[in-house]
Structure formats: structure tokens, C-alpha cells
Amino acid sequence: MMTETMRDRNGLTEQEFLQRYDASIYERPSVTVDMLIFTVFDKEQVNYRKLPEKSLQLLLIKRGEHPYLGQWALPGGFVSMRESIEEAAQRELKSEANIENLYMEQLFTWGDVARDPRTRVISSSYMALVDRTALDVKAGDDAEDARWFEVNYQVFQEKKTILEGGYEFERLIKITLKHEAELLTATVKITTTITGRTRRISREIVGSHGLAFDHAKIMDYAIERLRNKIEYTDIAFHLMPPLFTLSELQQVYEVILGKELLAAAFRRKLAPMVTETNEFTKDAGHRPSKLYRFNPNWENT
Amino acid sequence: MMTETMRDRNGLTEQEFLQRYDASIYERPSVTVDMLIFTVFDKEQVNYRKLPEKSLQLLLIKRGEHPYLGQWALPGGFVSMRESIEEAAQRELKSEANIENLYMEQLFTWGDVARDPRTRVISSSYMALVDRTALDVKAGDDAEDARWFEVNYQVFQEKKTILEGGYEFERLIKITLKHEAELLTATVKITTTITGRTRRISREIVGSHGLAFDHAKIMDYAIERLRNKIEYTDIAFHLMPPLFTLSELQQVYEVILGKELLAAAFRRKLAPMVTETNEFTKDAGHRPSKLYRFNPNWENT
DNA sequence: TCAATAGTGTCTATTAGACAGTATACC
DNA sequence: GGTATACTGTCTAATAGACACTATTGA
């Protein structure tokens, strides 16, 4: 099909049409990316015997400008005309966490009319998972006021209402972000309405302290996705250092899923994804643990 | 935190800042929505005994303007400044298929720099599932040259290359769209690269006949998502009429998954999602089949 | 009667959950 | 020796796959 030589109703070829095309006549939104950069830290060790607890951490930036001056926001920025959305996300990741070549995934594009008070802003959110040992220590501690916050995610109310031919399901999620004395909280209401042949999910921020824009909503979405995907993919390994013990791996799963797992079943399920090494942990105050590495070929063996 | 009264480095309050904010100084992309509207049709009945086969159908529109004049594209349009992306998608759905209140889900936002030859266009794709019996028959047959195309999706080559610390996996997908004499084809190459701690998936169109823009890529993504989600959610019911037989339901699963299923296991698995009625099919040329309806409450019983 | 679909029963294989029990370092 | 974690074995429950077998209609 030679569209190059076809003429439209004005008698123009494609080339002629494109030369005359004026994109400036329409008003256009701004497009940004918002990055959800997660990692896992060890908390303080309680005593020489206890394993240190793990915590899920999210990188936030203190806003130095209006709007939401002084509040905390997801790192991100405008997508320029000469880069793809993906490239913009990579660029932000590099500039905020100084990390390249890691796991990154587009989550959702947020397009409510009034989500930014400045102007119409449409934002694609990306989730990135990084291994804390590969992190540039500078990042998260520079002049830009970037900080790692410990994430807590909790469903604290569920309500089901039966409707004619379906039901409405309401969940209240409480998200808490902590960095030293700084404590940010947000409550997000997720409403799932199912009636007849329709299903609609809406997310609404019902309370937010210290968090800018609609970022609590985006965090909620991201954590939900992370919790889901960790169950049926191998993305958790992007949070791990090259060598790790199965107990550490289990701790990472537990902190993300927010529940305890049984060691036997966990090991059985993850066995095909890892390769054992001959190395062990040392100075543990208890039986040493074998170190493993990720086996990228696990799916087809 | 009273951000309303805080002043920034220029001594402005948030309100003053917003009043002076000039969004026009940055160049901005256009934002559009692309709709993947799927339904299922019965094909011709071979003889009075055989059940009619089902086919998965996708709504496409013949382009009446440059670029890609004369080729077929996904329905869609620009997101205006006064509507959310979601509202734009709903509006397109209403205008193309004359359907409101149905299943719709955001898939992915495509943001390559040169995906539209006119100007920088970022596009959010939405998948909608409709029941053909609820369809306005006019839709898909109007002046706009909208047509339902039968979708065929086939993996026709898989190649795995072991790399140091990982592998590269390449799949070639052939998508065929058929409406009477019109036959559109496209080949999409999906490359998954896993090395060390990175995983990257890229999609590339390696051949496309009659399909506009990068829409073959978007279709590939949508069909993959549809295949995935039908296995662990109840979205398939949005493709069904209010009353249906379990065999029809199974046919819908089979045509989407591209493989045959065992009836016993299928019925066991779907039993909780449906409620039986006292009605039966008639004039079937074989044993009549009980009619069922969707049970929206299946998840919590 | 028979072609074609509708629907059920049951055996097997696989996987997840539960939990007891053994192993082993360091202080 | 005692404490805390590391790791394994095994019973059970739940689920998916395979397939045979019975049921029922219209022409």
C-alpha cells in the first residue's frame, strides 16, 4: 500500500501534508514522569544473635518550590520533546539515584485534570527496584534534599455493600513513610464497584500529611503492583545483592507482602530461581547460612 | 503543614506563585488515547449440528487523512485540556462503539519520539471488552469506515541466546486481522534481555501491512495482556451476553488463549463465577445446554 | 438411530500449607 | 550450654490435568 503517493481530500500527498502540519494550534498538556524507587535496608540489629530486620524504602524529595513547598514528593520531571518517556524515566533515575541499568517498569499514567495546580500535567509513573549495596551512598543525601523513607502499608478498613446485581467494595489503605523524625502519612480509599457488566476501580486520597500532589495515590498503586508481581515473577531479586542467603530473601518477601511466610514452602518455591555457592555467612551468632545467587535461566530448565 | 502561607526563595506564597506561573514557555507533546475494543462474534455455522465457532474481533478505523491515509488504525483521539485521560477514553468509546458503562482498562502509555510523523504524540492505550449483543449494530458500519476485524495471534518463532550472566529471548509474533476481503498483517519482535540484575523488554514492528502508526505493537501488547488476565480474573464475562452456556464461555476462553481446554477442568474452575438458571438452549441438534449468568459476588462466598 | 454436544466421576500429578525435628555456629 | 537461625522430611489439603463414561436432543 503506497500511502506515500496517495492524495487526501485536499489533494495533498503525505509529504506535503506533513510539511504543512501545524501542531501548535491545539493546547497541549505537560507530560512528566514520576519515579517510585524502592530498595530494602537492614534496620538496627537488636543484639548480636538476632538477624537485623529489613525495611522497604522509597526515595522522596523535599520540594524547594511551590506548589507543595516543603512537602515530600516522588522524584520526577518533565519529558522533553527529544526523548521518549522511557528515556526521561532513565534520566531521572540516573540523576536521583545515580543508577543505570536496573529494573524499571511503567506502572500507570495519571491524567486527572486538576492533579497539578500549576497547569495540566499528565504523569507516567515508573517503578524501579534497586539493590542498596549498589547504591551510590551520596544519592539520597545530597543538596537536593532526597531521602529514603521507610514504607509501611496497611489495609485498615474494608467495607462491602451489596448492590442490585453486584456490590461495592471499599478499602481504606494507610501509608506511612518514616525517615528519622520525619513522619508522612496518607490514607487512600479504593472503591471497586461491580454492577452487572461493569467494573470500576477508583482511588481517592482521603487524607495526606506531608505528601505533595496525588503522590499518595501513586504510591498505593505501586505498592499494590509490587506486592502482586513479587508473587509470580522474579523481580524481588533486583532488590538483592549479588550474594544473599535464603533467609534474607525471605525477609524481603515478608516485608513487601506484609506477612510472615513458612520457610519450608518458601525455599521449595524459590529453589529453582537460585544457584547455591560454596560460601557461607560468618560471625552470625548462630548457624551460618549458605549464600546463593540469582539464576537468570531458571524459567527454562 | 501550612504550605499556603509559606514563601519560596522569591518570597512568593503558593497563591502568588500559581498566579504568575506561565506554562506556555515549555514545548509540550500532544496526548491521545488509543482504544482497543474487543468483542467476540459467532462465525458461520457449518451445519445444523455443529456449534458455530467463535472469533475474537477488534474494531479498526480506516484513515481518511494523512498520515497513513487509507490504512487501518485503532480508534482514538486527542485528550482535551478539560477532560481526564479516562474521560477521553470513555468519550471515544461512546463515539466509536456507542457503548457506555463497560469494562475498560488502561494498558500502557507509548511515548517514543517518532511514533507519529506529524508531531510528538504520547498515547495512552485502553482496552475495552464488549458483549456483541449489547452493541449498537450501526457502530462498526458507519460513514467513518469503522470495521470489526477478526484477530489472529500467533507466536511463530522463538529464539533463545545464552549471554554471559543471562540470556536474550526473542519471540516473533504474527498478528492477522481479517474483515471480508481485507487482510492486514503485522509481525512484532519481542526481545527480552536478562543480564545480571537487569531485565529489558522491547517490542519492535518488523513488518506491517495495512496498519497505521505503531498500532501493531499496541495490539500485541493488548492481546498479551488479555490472554494473561483472562486466566486469573473474570474479565471474560464482559464479552458474554447476560445468559450464556458454559460451552460458549469455554469457546471464548479458547479463542482468546489460542488453545483447547478440557471441559471438566474448565467447568470446575469457573463454577464459582456463575449462577445457573432454569433455562436451556433450544433447537440445538443435540443435547440442550443449561444457561448461566455471571455471579458478581463469586470472590467472597 | 446417530451425530454432536452436555455434563459427571474419578484417578493421578503437582503444588502449597503446616509443623515437627535435626543441624550448627557463636558467645 | 543455650540461643537463635539454618535446613529437611513428611503429612495433608487443594487444585489442575487426563480421560472415560453417561445423558440428551433434533433430524
Side-chain angles (χ1 to χ4, degrees), chain A residues 49-51 247 264 267-268 286-290:
Chain A
R49 282 209 148 117
K50 284 259 189 201
L51 274 184
S247 299
R267 278 153 188 268
R268 238 179 352 216
H286 47 77
R287 175 173 171 182
S289 180
K290 190 169 271 185

Side-chain angles (χ1 to χ4, degrees), chain B residues 48-49 262 264 268 283 285-288:
Chain B
Y48 81 98
R49 280 207 149 117
L262 290 167
R268 240 182 347 218
D283 309 315
H286 48 76
R287 176 173 171 181

Side-chain angles (χ1 to χ4, degrees), chain B residues 5-192:
Chain B
T5 57
M6 287 176 76
R7 292 181 180 275
D8 66 9
R9 58 181 117 249
N10 304 315
L12 300 178
T13 66
E14 181 160 329
Q15 203 190 357
E16 288 161 355
F17 169 85
L18 290 174
Q19 274 161 0
R20 288 168 211 208
Y21 187 83
D22 180 10
S24 66
I25 56 171
Y26 300 106
E27 231 187 330
R28 300 150 159 221
S30 295
V31 177
T32 63
V33 288
D34 286 318
M35 304 301 302
L36 293 116
I37 309 173
F38 288 103
T39 194
V40 171
F41 284 0
D42 283 352
K43 291 203 205 178
E44 282 289 291
Q45 205 165 4
V46 184
N47 70 48
Y48 81 98
R49 280 207 149 117
K50 284 257 190 203
L51 276 183
E53 266 183 78
K54 305 251 181 234
S55 68
L56 181 66
Q57 303 271 332
L58 178 66
L59 190 67
L60 295 180
I61 293 196
K62 191 171 192 169
R63 290 193 53 78
E65 306 175 0
H66 288 307
Y68 298 103
L69 176 62
Q71 301 204 21
W72 294 85
L74 295 169
F78 288 88
V79 177
S80 91
M81 292 297 273
R82 270 166 210 78
E83 65 185 354
S84 68
I85 309 184
E86 181 104 5
E87 283 161 1
Q90 295 279 10
R91 179 171 52 72
E92 286 298 329
L93 207 50
K94 171 95 172 89
S95 77
E96 300 300 348
N98 199 22
I99 293 267
E100 287 171 283
N101 276 335
L102 46 57
Y103 181 77
M104 201 182 76
E105 170 192 0
Q106 189 188 102
L107 292 178
F108 193 82
T109 301
W110 307 84
D112 279 359
V113 176
R115 51 179 298 282
D116 190 311
R118 289 168 293 188
T119 178
R120 177 74 194 275
V121 177
I122 285 171
S123 175
S124 276
S125 45
Y126 280 79
M127 172 168 78
L129 303 181
V130 310
D131 153 25
R132 73 170 202 299
T133 67
L135 274 176
D136 186 336
V137 279
K138 289 255 175 59
D141 199 29
D142 64 353
E144 249 208 293
D145 253 335
R147 294 280 182 280
W148 290 103
F149 281 78
E150 178 184 343
V151 180
N152 269 89
Y153 178 93
Q154 207 192 341
V155 181
F156 87 98
Q157 197 184 94
E158 292 190 330
K159 192 171 84 187
K160 187 179 173 185
T161 315
I162 303 285
L163 305 175
E164 202 182 344
Y167 62 92
E168 184 185 86
F169 190 68
E170 217 177 85
R171 259 185 318 160
L172 286 180
I173 309 288
K174 185 162 258 158
I175 298 174
T176 314
L177 298 149
K178 210 176 344 189
H179 173 91
E180 292 168 11
E182 198 98 40
L183 183 73
L184 318 175
T185 57
T187 307
V188 179
K189 182 165 82 182
I190 307 174
T191 312
T192 310

Side-chain angles (χ1 to χ4, degrees), chain B residues 277-288:
Chain B
T277 68
N278 295 320
E279 294 176 70
F280 287 84
T281 53
K282 281 184 297 215
D283 309 315
H286 48 76
R287 176 173 171 181

Side-chain angles (χ1 to χ4, degrees), chain A residues 9-27:
Chain A
R9 58 182 118 248
N10 304 315
L12 300 177
T13 64
E14 182 161 327
Q15 202 191 357
E16 287 161 357
F17 168 86
L18 290 174
Q19 274 160 1
R20 288 167 212 209
Y21 187 83
D22 180 10
S24 66
I25 56 172
Y26 298 107
E27 231 186 330

